[in-house]
Amino acid sequence: MWTRYSLERIAFLLQGLPLGLHRRPVLRHITYIQCLGWRSAWCSHNRETKPTACFNPCRTIKRDTKSSIDVPVYPVTVTDIKQYLRSKGISFHDGYSCLRAGSIFVEPKSQIQEEAGKDSYTMFIDKMTGQFLCKETLVEGTWEDLQDCLEVMQKEEQKSINPDVLLSYSESAEEQGQKDMELREVHRIWSSSVTVSDLLEEDLQLIKNIFQISKLNSITLKKFGVRYFKPTKSLVFPWFSGHDLSLRGIKLLSAVTKDKSQVIYTEASIPKLSNYYNLFGLHLVGRKETEMVLTGSEIDSMAVSQATGLPALALPRGVSCLPPVLLPYLEQFKKVTLWLGGDMRAWEASKMFSKKLGLKRCSLVRPGELHPCPNEALLQGRNLARIINASIPAAHKSIVSFKQLRDDVFGELSNVDQVAGIKWVRFPELNRILKGHRKGELTVFTGPTGSGKTTFISEYALDLSMQGVNTLWGSFEIKNVRLAKIILTQFAMQRLEENLEQYDYWADKFEELPLYFMTFHGQQNVKTVLDTMQHAVYLYDISHVIIDNLQFMMGQENLSVDKFAVQDNIIGTFRKFATNSSCHVTMIIHPRKEEDDKELQTASIFGTAKASQEADNVLILQEKKLVTCPGRRSLQVAKNRFDGDVGIFPLEFNKTSLTFSAPVRSKQKLRKVKGDQTENQETELNERNEKVLKSAKDSKTPKTLKEPLSEKSEIGRKGKSNNKEDG
Ligand SMILES: Nc1ncnc2c1ncn2[C@@H]1O[C@H](COP(=O)(O)OP(=O)(O)OP(=O)(O)O)[C@@H](O)[C@H]1O
């Protein structure tokens, strides 16, 4: 494990991850010290009962890094929150994503300030989750925590709660030590970085050329506090606290020119990106500003600010997510223009994020040739203010005419490749038939018992998450630890049991993938699973959910009802979820009992025809039991609603790495001549990983030349029939 942010560590981070791969958010939990029995005896379970233990005002604030997802014990609605606040006599203002109330963590304001109304309200309560933030003291916590505090206040007849007494930020010594060490490193890098005004003119020009920011002037760079860190040749973007302007973190952006025409950008941050909650530019925004442009990168924000004079903020993790903890900082704006980039991924993200921000105040810049990302637009000499003025309202009407749709249709026609979705790096054959992985679709996956369905889907989903697809696993059959072990093995492409010294290296990289797991095991109630999925979509912008498998949701339903009807109902619910949440759902369904030697068909999926009718894609893992080749499997695409192409291609199982991805044949033959098999595997692994990383970078870097995934299949083909062929 890395213990300090050395230069090597930064270099590792810079080269280790592509842009857009993000990043486990931190869940902040406030928990009472358990031994007091306070929470369990009173607050969480029965709010009517009095505490059984004497209240000790000391609390621990635990900042856990979690990648597993629980539904809150008491899911709240905005109506619940409002009713509760009213019952406590707390006045509030109904905002876009949050309710605003006077903070209970600061002394009540003077009469004059109270009369200032909502402007003096500094406590923000998320309407979806009840999570709160006091902007004045930076105290934050869950809805349960806020209720606990209010109960205490009422009981003790206090007018406010002193955060220093009640909320001691007593993290473990290790956590505190880690934070202090990070902060020292932030300051060390910051103070050894050079301000733009201290750079020689020719150096500055060179840097501007490398980062393709030649149109950004020194005034803008200085205004945003950008510096240059020579040892890693990186631009340094600061994260200033909106509270007291202290430096909380930094992001380093490096650009490496490969060949002559290819620039690859990498970024790293301290604290690491999963804990980096900076809205770049926030410290420059005045309290009275009501309009703002939200961008996907720091450079884009500066471009907008320079060209239009409008306040511009950059999301810390680009288009990959809008963490709800940032929403309170965006409440003040009556108009938000989302200009997240120049491609379809940015467009999809802006539609998703505008739902969180409140559709009515959002307008979106539609990407296209005339509307590239802001920095590109500046480079091309376009009028950025005009582009922003031409942005379209996010709230759409229930009935539209073609006139309103024509630009959307044009967008789809002119970006065929991007509309087709994200391409798999490990399964070029799947790209050839399915064209890509698209949001909002439902994929049904089946295969014989024990044939490797979970193993295959793990790799299929891993491939996508390595390209920045925020993924949520619902594994009801096998425990999360075992599942994570399988996925990690596939990620490292080797048996880590035999290379334990490499565990930390791979685990560190794996930790950065946007992968989350539901904490369910065994039979589950559909509603609970759906609530969790909704919750995860809101918190982590999940765009791919895997359900392994459907049968685990049927046990709890009323058994007197026809089980096929129950299954149909569940499928219908997931279909609706996929469409409404713009989230791809991959659902494993067991086949009905067939004769062993028969291949499966769409009709072999357990239940009625509902599953295949509702599904956009039907995938079948075909198993042919050959004595000569017992591990041989094929993947059949039996339905593809996107463009109708179906086909089948062989998969070769590698028991060491648990992967199905087809080996690169021509290269393998070449390596066989060389003879060293271990070397071959390593080279292959490196090549694949490089390809994955490159592809993710490509999706974020407009100037990167894209390498087509051109391996042609011998077997898959066009047509709507269900032909089954085997490699
Ligand atoms: N092609 C293969 N050849 C041999 N073994 C395989 C193959 N694919 C997977 N396995 C192994 O078979 C075992 C079962 O795999 P897995 O759990 O993925 O199957 P499944 O189809 O999901 O099972 P179930 O029907 O119980 O849900 C695992 O140990 C896995 O490593």
Side-chain angles (χ1 to χ4, degrees), residues 158-203:
Q158 292 175 357
K159 291 231 157 55
S160 70
I161 286 188
N162 183 346
D164 296 332
V165 178
L166 186 66
L167 303 161
S168 70
Y169 285 75
S170 54
E171 288 162 325
S172 71
E174 198 191 334
E175 281 172 329
Q176 193 56 53
Q178 173 75 16
K179 276 196 163 174
D180 292 346
M181 192 258 311
E182 282 178 356
L183 206 56
R184 274 198 301 278
E185 202 53 25
V186 165
H187 282 280
R188 197 187 63 76
I189 294 175
W190 185 243
S191 54
S192 34
S193 306
V194 195
T195 53
V196 279
S197 46
D198 288 342
L199 285 166
L200 292 174
E201 189 51 38
E202 59 194 85
D203 287 348

Side-chain angles (χ1 to χ4, degrees), residues 448-455 477 590 631 633 653 658 660:
T449 307
S451 58
K453 294 186 292 297
T454 304
T455 317
E477 199 172 53
H590 277 165
R633 305 277 189 275
F653 185 60
L658 301 180
F660 278 97

Side-chain angles (χ1 to χ4, degrees), residues 399-438:
I399 300 170
V400 290
S401 66
F402 180 70
K403 194 169 177 231
Q404 282 136 315
L405 291 176
R406 72 181 277 163
D407 286 343
D408 279 326
V409 174
F410 182 78
E412 299 237 334
L413 292 173
S414 55
N415 293 291
V416 177
D417 200 43
Q418 288 177 32
V419 170
I422 294 173
K423 312 281 182 273
W424 285 270
V425 173
R426 296 186 181 201
F427 301 104
E429 288 300 304
L430 209 47
N431 298 333
R432 212 181 50 76
I433 305 172
L434 273 182
K435 307 298 172 299
H437 175 87
R438 293 165 289 274

Side-chain angles (χ1 to χ4, degrees), residues 584-599:
H584 193 117
V585 177
T586 298
M587 186 190 281
I588 299 179
I589 309 183
H590 277 165
R592 53 177 101 214
K593 275 232 162 302
E594 302 263 336
E595 285 168 44
D596 262 6
D597 54 346
K598 271 197 182 164
E599 285 193 338

Side-chain angles (χ1 to χ4, degrees), residues 545-591:
V545 178
I546 300 123
I547 299 292
D548 185 8
N549 60 66
L550 177 78
Q551 270 77 1
F552 279 86
M553 265 165 286
M554 291 180 54
Q556 299 224 329
E557 301 303 319
N558 190 349
L559 289 178
S560 61
V561 180
D562 173 10
K563 65 179 173 189
F564 288 152
V566 171
Q567 176 170 323
D568 287 357
N569 186 35
I570 298 174
I571 291 167
T573 317
F574 278 97
R575 161 80 270 170
K576 210 163 144 195
F577 168 84
T579 310
N580 293 348
S581 309
S582 240
C583 186
H584 193 117
V585 177
T586 298
M587 186 190 281
I588 299 179
I589 309 183
H590 277 165

